């Protein structure tokens, strides 16, 4: 019962935060959406900020799983493949995630710290290490600048989901879903082809 209550509050908070942003959502409105008492939020999460952090953590589970993998002995190209798969799982399970990210792009707040200060640096370090290892192993071009390449990769992986509303309205949701796997496979192929060393 307790876990059911907690999940109900998480679902309500996710819906409202994604639609209106952190500052425009009240504890009372979350409780009303969840058909719960406001005191339950304090009981299960402590505060509105902690509830928001829990919402972000809940949506980032597949990325957290990716970040706990041991990449040391893994082919660097496989690391990018695994990351693409993790992002696909993340976006499929959490269609509201891009709304959170877009809100932060257009109106940055300190409330997104759980992702910006804790998750994003770990992700960058993991991907940058794979890229640097690939350069050292002679798989990737030695002149590649790591930081811009990682920014480019992150943009490619997320671009499909950023524009999902637009292309689903043009082609229909069924067609948009059909193209998701193809897009990610081609994005990975184009990225790796671009950084691969020419022998």
């Amino acid at each position: 019962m307790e876990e059911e209550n907690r999940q109900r509050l998480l679902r309500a908070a996710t819906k409202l935060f994604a639609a209106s942003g952190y500052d425009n959502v009240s504890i009372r409105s979350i409780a009303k959406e969840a058909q719960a008492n406001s005191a339950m939020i304090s009981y299960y999460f402590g505060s509105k900020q902690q509830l928001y952090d829990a919402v972000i953590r809940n949506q980032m589970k597949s990325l957290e799983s990716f970040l706990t993998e041991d990449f040391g002995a893994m082919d660097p190209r496989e690391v990018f493949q695994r990351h693409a798969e993790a992002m696909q799982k993340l976006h499929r399970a959490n269609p509201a995630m891009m709304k959170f990210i877009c809100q932060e792009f257009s109106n940055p707040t300190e409330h997104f710290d759980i992702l910006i200060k804790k998750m994003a640096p770990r992700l960058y370090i993991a991907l940058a290490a794979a890229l640097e290892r690939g350069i050292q192993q002679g798989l990737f071009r030695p002149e590649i600048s790591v930081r811009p390449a990682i920014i480019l990769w992150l943009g490619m992986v997320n671009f499909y989901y950023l524009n999902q509303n637009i292309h689903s309205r043009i082609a229909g949701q069924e067609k948009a879903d059909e193209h998701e796997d193809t897009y990610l496979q081609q994005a990975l192929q184009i990225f790796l082809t671009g950084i691969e060393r020419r022998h």
Side-chain angles (χ1 to χ4, degrees):
M1 185 65 176
E2 289 210 350
E3 183 57 24
E4 183 183 326
N5 291 336
R6 190 176 184 280
Q7 290 301 320
R8 194 165 75 249
L9 288 167
L10 274 174
R11 286 193 296 271
T14 300
K15 177 182 176 181
L16 295 178
F17 284 139
S20 305
Y22 180 88
D23 292 328
N24 297 317
V25 175
S26 67
I27 291 288
R28 182 176 293 180
S29 65
I30 296 168
K32 183 179 179 183
E33 177 70 26
Q35 297 181 332
N37 189 301
S38 297
M40 287 177 66
I41 293 173
S42 177
Y43 175 76
Y44 287 110
F45 300 99
S47 68
K48 178 181 165 183
Q49 177 65 58
Q50 288 171 308
L51 172 56
Y52 189 76
D53 290 348
V55 165
I56 299 301
R57 280 197 191 94
N58 191 53
Q59 295 194 78
M60 303 301 285
K61 281 179 182 175
S62 59
L63 185 56
E64 183 64 45
S65 178
F66 165 77
L67 289 171
T68 58
E69 291 193 55
D70 181 9
F71 301 120
M74 193 181 293
D75 185 313
R77 293 164 293 197
E78 179 70 12
V79 176
F80 289 96
Q81 172 71 45
R82 296 281 185 92
H83 176 243
E85 291 168 358
M87 294 307 292
Q88 184 177 39
K89 287 180 184 176
L90 184 154
H91 287 295
R92 279 185 174 176
N94 305 284
M97 191 66 219
M98 286 311 300
K99 291 182 180 179
F100 284 90
I101 293 172
C102 288
Q103 284 174 5
E104 287 297 315
F105 282 161
S106 60
N107 185 28
T109 70
E110 295 180 0
H111 305 300
F112 216 49
D113 277 2
I114 195 70
L115 179 62
I116 300 302
K117 291 185 179 177
K118 294 180 181 176
M119 297 288 286
R122 290 170 60 205
L123 176 60
Y124 175 81
I125 288 168
L127 295 174
L131 185 53
E132 287 167 353
R133 196 167 67 255
I135 292 171
Q136 292 166 3
Q137 293 173 358
L139 296 171
F140 302 148
R141 290 158 45 197
E143 73 275 16
I144 290 291
S145 182
V146 173
R147 187 176 181 84
I150 298 304
I151 292 170
L152 173 64
W153 168 246
L154 291 172
M156 290 174 74
V157 172
N158 287 293
F159 187 78
Y160 181 89
Y161 302 98
L162 182 64
N163 289 276
Q164 196 161 26
N165 281 342
I166 295 173
H167 56 73
S168 64
R169 284 161 62 186
I170 294 170
Q173 187 60 51
E174 189 175 325
K175 285 286 186 183
D177 291 343
E178 181 185 312
H179 294 152
E180 181 183 8
D181 287 337
T182 304
Y183 173 86
L184 288 171
Q185 289 167 10
Q186 289 183 347
L188 179 66
Q189 183 179 8
I190 290 167
F191 177 76
L192 291 178
T193 300
I195 66 172
E196 279 178 356
R197 185 172 184 173
R198 306 289 187 265
H199 294 289

